[in-house]
Every structure is written in C-alpha cells, then in structure tokens.
Amino acid sequence: MNNNRTDLELITSLVEEGIRILDVGCGNGELLQSLKDKKNVKGQGLELKQERVNQCVSKGLSAIQGNADSDLSLYPNQSFDCVILSQTIQATNNPKNILIELVRIGKKAIVSIPNFGFWKVRLGFATYGKMPITKKLSNNWYDTPNIHLCSILDFVDLCRELNIKIEKTIVLSSNKTKSYNGSPSNWSNFFGEEAIFLIKN
Amino acid sequence: MNTDQNKLPCSYFTDTKPLLLENGTSIDELTVAYESYGKLNKDKSNAIIICHALSGDQFLASKNPLTNKDGWWNRMVGSGKPIDTDKYFVICANVLGGCLGSTGPTSINPSNGEEYGLNFPVITISDMVNAQMRLIQYLEIDKLLSVIGGSMGGMQVLEWAASYPSNILSAIPIATSSRHTAQNIAFHELGRQAIMADPDWSGGNYIKVGTNPTKGLSIARMTAHVTYLSEASLTKKFGRRLQDKEEISFGFDADFQIESYLRHQGLTFVDRFDANSYLYITRAMDYFDLEKTHKKSLTEIFEKTNIKFLIASFTGDWLYPPSENLMIVRALSAGGADVSFVNIESDKGHDAFLLEEPEFDDAMRGFINSVSIEAKI
C-alpha cells in the first residue's frame, strides 16, 4: 500500500522524533522502516496479510496480523502518539468508524487518500463515461480494493461532521506539494491527486 | 517409569538451597535435568531457554534416549535452523515435577529416603520457572536473549516475562493462554480421573507397591492427544479407514485406523512418562492464571515492559485458539509493549507448532534474528 515514495517521505516529515506510532495497513513495513531509520520511532504495524506481517517481523519490525475494520478496537484510548493510515481508508468497509477509531487510539492521526475529485479523474469519467483509471487508481472497477473512494472535500466534510480537527494538510499534484495549516483550499480538490491529513480529536 | 532415570544422558544441576514453592512449602534438594545446544559466547549474551510442553522433555534437538526418536523440536532448533545453534546457546530443562531427571514425584524425598509419590508438593508454572531461574543463575547468565515455548511452554514464557522481566530480552509464547479455561481444565480432569481410576495407580503409591497404572495413563494420553489434533487433520490422516481389515468386525477391537493410532499413542506414552508426574503437571497448568498469581491485570503486568514479544497462534488450534493468544496480544499492546503477532493458517490443530509450518519458521527466524541484531550478537 505504501508504494509511493513521496507519500512515504511526506508522512515521515509529519512524524515527530522518537514517538510511539501505529501504522494501520503497514504492508511489508516500508513506512515503518523509514520512520524507524529517520525518526527513531517506536513503531507497531497492523496488517491484514500474514505474509506481509512475516516480512515485517523478519525485518525486525513489530507487526500484528489484523484487520483495520475490526481490530482497532483492540487498542485503548490514546495509546499511541500517532496513528497512520496511508492509502488504506478507501479500501475499508467502514471508513467513518475507522476515522473515529484513529483519533481515539492516537493523540494524532495521519491519513492519506487518493483524491477522487482530481481533475484527471473527473475528465476521465466525463469524457469516456467509464470508471476512471489513473496512476493512483489503477484498478478496474471490478477488481479494485477501493470500495469507499472519496474526494478531498468529502474527507474534510466527514471530519467536520465527526468534530475531528484537521491540523495540517499536504496536497500532492504530479510532483508538486502544497501545505496548508488546517483544511486545504477548494482548488486543491481539483488539482490535488492525493492528500495527507494530520488530524486529531 | 523406573527410578534409575538419573542415568539419562544429559546435564544435571543440583541445588541444596531450598526452592520456595507457591503453595508455601519448599523443595529442599532441587535437581534440574537439562540439555544444551550450541556454545555460550564470552559475554554470555546468546543464551535462549526453550520451555517444553506437558509431555515434552529436555531432549529438544537430540535423540531422546528413552524413545530413540529425534528431539521434539528438531525441526526448529539446530545448525542453520530458525533457532540456529551455530549462533545461540540453547537450553532446555525438564520441568519441575517432570519425570526425566528433574525433581518430581518419582524423585527420592530427602526427608525419608522414599519416592515422593503423592507427597510431592503441588507445584505451579511459576515454581517451574523459578527452578529454571536457579539453573540460569548457576550458569551465570544475567540476560537471556529469548525465552521460547509452546503450549505449557508458552505459559512458562509468560511467567518468565512477568516474574523476571529484567532477565530476558525477548519472549515467544506460542499457542498458549494466560490462564487455563474451563475446557482446558475439563480435558485435564478426564486424564487425571482415568489415571486415578486405574487400580494399579494404588492410591498414588504404585512405585512402592510395584504396580504401574499404564491403562489409566494411556487413556489420559489418548484423550489429550485428540485435543492436540483437529477434525480436519484426523479426517485427512485417517478418515473412516479400517485397520488391517476389509469389513467392520461387529466388535470392540480397533476396527478403525484412528482407534489403532490412539491406542499406539497411549501405549508408547507409558514407556516414557510417569502417571503421578502427569497429575502434577496437568494440575500446574490448570492452576495457571497469570493475572491471579500476579494480582494485576495482564495489561498492568506487562505495562511499559522492555521485553520484545512475538506471539504465535494457529488457526486450527481449538485447545489454545487464536482468540486466547490474541487476548495476550491485546493486553501487551494496551500496555505499550513491543509486540508482534502471527496467526498461522493451519488445519493441524494445537500440534501445529511442532510440525512443518514454513510461515511459522520464517517468522521465528526473522524475529530472533532481529532481536540478536538489537542485542549486537
């Protein structure tokens, strides 16, 4: 899931030195490794696939096999300094509940999403009338794990509804990034291909 | 079981300093029979203790002199194996209460020169761990790289981590539980009742009387053995196949292969195990309740622990199911512990941890390797 270098680096930049983090959907531990090397964090991963958990464990990273939808309840309130959900929320069954859980167990949370409001997505659908396929959303409609896609504005709306505070947003478009204190501009919903939110309760 | 067991070829450690037990009594002369593999390095930082399960023994990775079979974890421990004896010094001790050389009901009670029998004190998992701690002190090892064990071995691992957190760097409890459930106790009670119902048990005095409750002990083993397997593994291995015959016999001989297999398991077990030991060790497991012993919740016991944990469970294990193991993971996570958890897909039942499961091996290898890197070995 963390197959995007820039995404990884930007998330790493948002994480403070030496803190305790939980990476939800940690894959084979690429982000955990980066955070361990660069920010000296005490990291813990949660990953659905046994094989990937094994890969993490074999690299000396701590990981638990589990499901983001059902296993976040395992953790008590505020048990991590920061909980990270990178490019995963759109693939979960209940994103709303997960968002609530993230800010419950983490003093802060970092969530990155592919933006379904991105102009190429809109253009693709408007032009061809078919489910858009882009670099970020590369699956066909029938085999995509992404069952709950949203746009940047949708995500901001949900945070507002849940009284979740957006502290910072980084919007990525092609190779440019733009940072916002708080929620991003409405324009970013058109030009941003991906967004990373730093949120808290 | 005979009384010349002390002649079993392995290492022995004896201690005349009394070992205080959880029940308030003590063992005045402690013997711990153990095997070790690999070499202890100069700064004694590469030692691993492996705790055996109910019917296991110290012959972890070498031929068992009683059965002449390979060690019970030969697959996992050895040169180039996940627990690599080229790199680590691996110790496995027969548990307190056992019957392969460590002090147990077949040992001589120093106060009267006779076998303990039922005069042996009722011991607990923490007593077993305290006896192992004596061995570790005798070997002058301050810090164990890891403590590893499955089933009852896993209980000892948890007890090690709870009682001696500053003496261990990492812990791997496998297919285990932080307390015995009603179902676990129920199966053990079946086994104990089978032993005690055998007239040859002679009120526990069978060594003195010169009998041996082999029937009772083998039924206990048969019952327990079924709990270590799974419906899927039994079906795969035996199905409804008949043993050396074409038709059912309309009688009570071992018509089915599964019957014959269980009878064989029971019969061979009595050659290497003592009936009273079986009573004592199953009791120790039944009494195991980490929270009760330490008068704290699991989370509190392990709060802010520096021990790195790997918990492993197997999907087909209904005796110590993934949910029991996950409870430990949950508590450790809540307490801020560094914990990894792998739940291995397997239909082999509880015994899966002893059998060929490559994914499990990889996780073990990787975890131990990472611990040894952190410990700079």
Side-chain angles (χ1 to χ4, degrees):
Chain A
M1 289 174 192
N2 299 315
N3 47 15
N4 185 296
R5 282 265 146 218
T6 328
D7 183 51
L8 219 92
E9 279 160 23
L10 290 172
I11 290 177
T12 306
S13 76
L14 286 173
V15 170
E16 288 161 48
E17 193 81 24
I19 62 169
R20 186 158 189 262
I21 65 138
L22 173 68
D23 184 3
V24 182
C26 66
N28 61 11
E30 203 181 350
L31 178 62
L32 278 174
Q33 188 75 59
S34 155
L35 289 169
K36 193 179 174 187
D37 296 344
K38 291 181 187 147
K39 292 292 174 91
N40 193 30
V41 299
K42 201 176 169 207
Q44 175 92 52
L46 182 73
E47 167 59 39
L48 191 61
K49 292 206 168 109
Q50 175 61 54
E51 198 189 326
R52 292 181 182 159
V53 174
N54 282 0
Q55 285 168 357
C56 290
V57 174
S58 68
K59 289 178 196 163
L61 302 167
S62 299
I64 290 177
Q65 189 195 28
N67 184 328
D69 274 305
S70 57
D71 291 334
L72 289 178
S73 61
L74 187 152
Y75 301 98
N77 296 347
Q78 310 285 287
S79 48
F80 290 92
D81 297 311
C82 186
V83 181
I84 300 170
L85 188 69
S86 166
Q87 304 281 326
T88 302
I89 200 164
Q90 75 283 356
T92 62
N93 281 327
N94 194 339
K96 187 173 169 180
N97 188 47
I98 284 188
L99 211 52
I100 294 168
E101 285 290 80
L102 293 182
V103 291
R104 178 187 66 79
I105 61 184
K107 290 172 190 153
K108 288 187 179 178
I110 296 171
V111 180
S112 74
I113 58 160
N115 177 25
F116 207 70
F118 182 47
W119 68 269
K120 278 189 185 170
V121 177
R122 300 188 196 200
L123 185 70
F125 189 73
T127 311
Y128 304 107
K130 288 182 170 184
M131 286 306 283
I133 293 179
T134 64
K135 236 189 287 169
K136 281 264 170 275
L137 302 166
S138 56
N139 296 82
N140 291 298
W141 68 272
Y142 49 82
D143 60 11
T144 179
N146 301 325
I147 52 173
H148 282 122
L149 286 158
C150 70
S151 71
I152 288 176
L153 289 183
D154 287 326
F155 187 83
V156 171
D157 282 351
L158 182 58
C159 286
R160 193 175 300 132
E161 189 195 320
L162 296 173
N163 281 323
I164 290 171
K165 198 180 160 216
I166 299 176
E167 284 202 330
K168 230 178 193 180
T169 310
I170 302 175
V171 177
L172 291 81
S173 48
S174 51
N175 285 326
K176 283 179 206 147
T177 62
K178 194 163 163 53
S179 296
Y180 300 86
N181 281 321
S183 303
S185 70
N186 284 355
W187 275 113
S188 68
N189 194 41
F190 191 75
F191 289 112
E193 189 164 15
E194 184 188 341
I196 302 168
F197 297 92
L198 179 66
I199 57 175
K200 62 183 258 187
N201 227 343
Chain B
M1 204 76 264
N2 50 36
T3 48
D4 60 1
Q5 65 205 231
N6 281 335
K7 287 173 189 154
L8 284 179
C10 66
S11 305
Y12 291 89
F13 152 67
T14 53
D15 195 349
T16 47
K17 194 177 122 205
L19 180 75
L20 279 179
L21 302 177
E22 206 177 327
N23 77 351
T25 64
S26 66
I27 296 218
D28 296 334
E29 273 180 33
L30 172 72
T31 299
V32 179
Y34 66 100
E35 276 279 76
S36 63
Y37 308 88
K39 272 197 185 124
L40 188 61
N41 62 9
K42 243 188 216 152
D43 47 0
K44 303 191 174 187
S45 61
N46 68 336
I48 293 175
I49 269 221
I50 295 181
C51 309
H52 70 72
L54 165 60
S55 62
D57 48 52
Q58 66 271 38
F59 302 103
L60 167 76
S62 47
K63 269 231 153 61
N64 183 316
L66 285 177
T67 61
N68 217 23
K69 282 186 178 159
D70 283 343
W72 57 269
W73 227 12
N74 218 27
R75 201 180 54 72
M76 185 66 77
V77 182
S79 172
K81 294 185 180 166
I83 302 172
D84 191 346
T85 50
D86 294 342
K87 235 175 132 182
Y88 311 117
F89 178 64
V90 180
I91 308 157
C92 185
N94 185 213
V95 292
L96 180 69
C99 50
L100 264 78
S102 289
T103 307
T106 56
S107 306
I108 301 295
N109 182 349
S111 70
N112 61 11
E114 292 177 5
E115 285 93 9
Y116 275 105
L118 287 193
N119 290 322
F120 192 72
V122 171
I123 41 127
T124 63
I125 298 290
S126 83
D127 295 332
M128 293 177 183
V129 168
N130 289 336
Q132 288 167 27
M133 185 60 188
R134 288 282 180 87
L135 171 64
I136 295 311
Q137 286 168 337
Y138 161 74
L139 296 171
E140 296 176 332
I141 295 165
D142 284 337
K143 209 145 195 154
L144 291 160
L145 185 67
S146 199
V147 182
I148 304 169
S151 200
M152 183 181 83
M155 296 174 193
Q156 293 166 67
V157 173
L158 292 172
E159 186 59 53
W160 261 104
S163 293
Y164 301 107
S166 55
N167 296 92
I168 66 180
L169 280 174
S170 69
I172 314 183
I174 302 156
T176 193
S177 171
S178 64
R179 81 273 187 276
H180 241 207
T181 62
Q183 178 176 261
N184 296 141
I185 297 168
F187 280 113
H188 276 174
E189 177 61 1
L190 284 178
R192 284 190 295 263
Q193 287 300 331
I195 290 168
M196 294 189 285
D198 186 334
D200 285 341
W201 181 61
S202 310
N205 279 324
Y206 50 89
I207 295 180
K208 215 173 176 181
V209 177
T211 56
N212 194 357
T214 52
K215 282 233 164 65
L217 181 58
S218 62
I219 294 170
R221 174 60 173 175
M222 286 162 78
T223 317
H225 197 79
V226 175
T227 68
Y228 306 151
L229 307 173
S230 67
E231 193 189 2
S233 63
L234 285 171
T235 303
K236 208 184 269 176
K237 205 166 172 183
F238 307 105
R240 289 184 52 80
R241 282 188 293 280
L242 301 177
Q243 180 71 29
D244 302 326
K245 56 183 76 161
E246 300 293 314
E247 295 296 333
I248 51 173
S249 69
F250 292 98
F252 298 103
D253 281 344
D255 278 1
F256 296 98
Q257 279 182 9
I258 176 64
E259 292 174 302
S260 164
Y261 170 79
L262 280 180
R263 288 179 190 193
H264 175 76
Q265 285 296 326
L267 277 176
T268 50
F269 188 61
V270 302
D271 293 333
R272 66 177 178 95
F273 220 89
D274 172 66
N276 283 339
S277 253
Y278 198 87
L279 300 182
Y280 278 95
I281 297 175
T282 53
R283 206 64 183 139
M285 292 172 78
D286 290 349
Y287 282 167
F288 184 63
D289 183 340
L290 207 61
E291 292 189 326
K292 196 160 176 287
T293 306
H294 293 267
K295 298 182 181 69
K296 282 181 195 167
S297 73
L298 265 187
T299 301
E300 286 164 348
I301 294 171
F302 295 117
E303 199 153 29
K304 299 199 168 68
T305 180
N306 289 318
I307 300 166
K308 191 168 163 157
F309 281 88
L310 169 63
I311 316 264
S313 64
F314 299 85
T315 56
D317 182 352
W318 55 273
L319 195 60
Y320 300 98
S323 57
E324 286 292 319
N325 293 273
L326 193 59
M327 217 172 79
I328 304 165
V329 174
R330 214 173 273 256
L332 285 167
S333 298
D338 184 336
V339 55
S340 290
F341 171 55
V342 293
N343 185 27
I344 307 291
E345 193 76 39
S346 163
D347 65 0
K348 291 173 188 155
H350 179 56
D351 264 354
F353 82 92
L354 298 168
L355 305 170
E356 190 71 41
E357 291 291 355
E359 274 202 306
F360 175 51
D361 296 359
D362 290 347
M364 290 289 284
R365 192 187 292 272
F367 180 83
I368 295 165
N369 199 30
S370 76
V371 173
S372 78
I373 290 169
E374 280 165 32
K376 297 184 176 69
I377 289 169

